[in-house]
Amino acid sequence: MEFIIEEGKCLDKGTSTLILPALSIGNVGQLAVDLLVSSTRAERIGYLDDPYILPCVGNDAYGPTPCGELALPLEAYDSRNNRVALVQQRSPVVKGMMVGFAKNLADFAVAAGMNHVLVLSSLEFMRLQKIDTSSGMQIYYLSSTNTDGTDDCCERLGWKKWQEYNPDQRTWKYLSTLAEGNARQDDNLPFEDEPEDEDYYPSLPFAALFSCFKAKGIKVTCLMCYCSEGDNTPDAFGLAEATSKLLGLSLDNSHEEGGKWRIPFSWRTLYGPPPDLSMF
């Protein structure tokens, strides 16, 4: 993975926390990063070139005024006021290469001097074992702070530790061994195609990212929510809010839309135009 810095820009030396999405159902992690980039007024400082990411290109996602900047598959942003860096991922990983991609991202984080990585992800609602209807959206976390995945700071914020994590389960152990470079990925093991129930979660992108950052000795926290396909912008607001609370982010509220969050310009066409009412 190569980090290409734009001319005249650099990553602030005081930045030690990295925020990035894990691609999953509803793209909630990506939408949350969009909100964080826009609302912290983070500056794009460059992009990452990795052989395991499928190519894509699009218009600038944040500004309504055409300025000639194109959105690329992996972009790096710096919010100097908050001492955080953000990576936005806009295209999927080549099939079967998720662990390799996660290792490359972990190497980048080490080279950039990061000591905490925050991974934002969604999980399939149909796999939620116990539904809590006593409150609204539930935030779940997984942390490398302790071997069982717990973290005191997350607990104080009222979040629940994600109960599906079992470091002694065979696929989690295998993933950890892969991340540490002590094994080669075996195509016969259930990381692709149709994994069994106990192997499903370790096959997801957030699990590879968690294991590879942990193997590099970097503190990693995954913030997750359960959702279904559809309009997942409310879930994105929830994950972004949780991120802001955990890191104590300072947001830019001086924008015309009002409210706490600055809505990215690209969201105006996120789900296409409204239906033609003449059909009803």
Side-chain angles (χ1 to χ4, degrees):
M1 178 178 288
E2 183 180 3
F3 180 32
I4 295 92
I5 301 179
E6 295 184 3
E7 185 177 355
K9 298 181 181 180
C10 65
L11 180 65
D12 186 70
K13 293 182 179 179
T15 299
S16 60
T17 299
L18 174 65
I19 305 170
L20 71 158
L23 271 62
S24 189
I25 183 170
N27 297 325
V28 178
Q30 292 166 293
L31 293 172
V33 170
D34 259 353
L35 275 176
L36 291 165
V37 168
S38 181
S39 299
T40 61
R41 294 285 189 176
E43 177 188 28
R44 192 175 81 168
I45 58 172
Y47 61 93
L48 300 164
D49 186 23
D50 190 89
Y52 299 142
I53 286 286
L54 294 174
C56 76
V57 68
N59 290 326
D60 176 27
Y62 302 109
T65 304
C67 56
E69 290 189 0
L70 295 176
L72 301 172
L74 276 176
E75 297 177 329
Y77 293 84
D78 185 17
S79 176
R80 299 202 172 194
N81 291 339
N82 293 289
R83 299 289 181 91
V84 299
L86 304 100
V87 167
Q88 178 62 294
Q89 181 180 343
R90 302 189 185 281
S91 63
V93 176
V94 175
K95 185 176 181 179
M97 295 295 142
M98 187 61 218
V99 174
F101 171 68
K103 286 182 176 180
N104 289 346
L105 266 181
D107 289 337
F108 160 73
V110 170
M114 301 297 163
N115 56 36
H116 185 198
V117 176
L118 194 61
V119 178
L120 308 182
S121 181
S122 51
L123 302 171
E124 188 176 357
F125 184 79
M126 293 297 292
R127 289 183 175 268
L128 182 59
Q129 298 295 319
K130 185 177 180 181
I131 300 176
D132 183 1
T133 59
S134 61
S135 59
M137 175 184 172
Q138 299 291 314
I139 296 293
Y140 297 84
Y141 78 89
L142 175 63
S143 173
S144 64
T145 302
N146 299 309
T147 55
D148 63 351
T150 58
D151 182 90
D152 290 342
C153 183
C154 292
E155 290 290 332
R156 286 194 296 270
L157 288 169
W159 302 332
K160 299 178 180 179
K161 182 249 178 179
W162 185 60
Q163 295 298 321
E164 301 293 337
Y165 176 63
N166 179 8
D168 295 323
Q169 192 267 339
R170 70 183 185 110
T171 318
W172 279 105
K173 290 176 69 175
Y174 175 65
L175 183 58
S176 178
T177 303
L178 277 179
E180 293 168 358
N182 297 326
R184 293 185 303 174
Q185 187 165 344
D186 186 345
D187 292 335
N188 294 323
L189 284 175
F191 273 83
E192 300 294 330
D193 300 323
E194 298 180 0
E196 299 178 7
D197 283 347
E198 67 174 4
D199 302 309
Y200 172 74
Y201 286 115
S203 72
L204 297 181
F206 86 89
L209 293 168
F210 176 81
S211 299
C212 289
F213 285 122
K214 182 180 178 181
K216 287 292 184 179
I218 301 175
K219 177 183 176 181
V220 53
T221 305
C222 296
L223 295 185
M224 301 174 286
C225 66
Y226 284 88
C227 73
S228 302
E229 292 287 1
D231 184 353
N232 297 111
T233 52
D235 304 299
F237 280 110
L239 270 188
E241 180 68 33
T243 302
S244 180
K245 287 182 178 179
L246 181 63
L247 301 180
L249 299 181
S250 174
L251 304 179
D252 175 23
N253 296 318
S254 59
H255 44 81
E256 296 179 1
E257 295 94 332
K260 181 175 183 179
W261 297 99
R262 184 173 186 266
I263 309 301
F265 184 74
S266 57
W267 282 27
R268 298 186 182 184
T269 55
L270 192 60
Y271 296 100
D276 184 356
L277 297 180
S278 64
M279 71 175 69
F280 299 107

